């Protein structure tokens, strides 16, 4: 499960990088930049959820062992 969550976090990080290249910093709230911003926020949320999941698994392992 650790490797799976790590792979998902790497995919999210790569999505953040791709969306940063699509982002127009002069007009961040117009056109495709809005879609890129939504993608960046969604990827950060996914990383945050995966980190919470990994922490909960560590706590579960400590309680069982």
């Amino acid at each position: 499960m650790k490797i799976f969550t790590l792979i998902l976090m790497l995919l999210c990080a790569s999505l953040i990088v791709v969306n940063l290249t699509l982002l127009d910093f002069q007009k961040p709230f117009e056109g495709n930049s809005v879609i890129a911003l939504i993608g960046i926020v969604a990827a950060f949320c996914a990383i945050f959820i995966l980190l919470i999941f990994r922490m909960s698994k560590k706590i579960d392992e400590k309680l069982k062992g």
Side-chain angles (χ1 to χ4, degrees):
M1 189 59 78
K2 248 183 205 182
I3 296 171
F4 181 68
T5 56
L6 182 65
I7 290 171
L8 287 177
M9 281 193 250
L10 289 173
L11 284 172
C12 289
S14 65
L15 282 174
I16 290 171
V17 171
V18 168
N19 283 323
L20 280 174
T21 61
L22 296 175
L23 190 63
D24 182 16
F25 292 103
Q26 300 297 326
K27 301 173 191 172
F29 298 110
E30 294 180 10
N32 287 338
S33 293
V34 174
I35 298 169
L37 281 174
I38 292 169
I40 291 168
V41 171
F44 273 121
C45 289
I47 288 174
F48 187 66
I49 289 170
L50 286 168
L51 286 172
I52 291 172
F53 178 70
R54 285 183 80 175
M55 281 187 194
S56 69
K57 285 294 182 186
K58 283 182 184 179
I59 292 170
D60 189 39
E61 288 174 4
K62 285 184 180 182
L63 288 176
K64 286 183 179 179

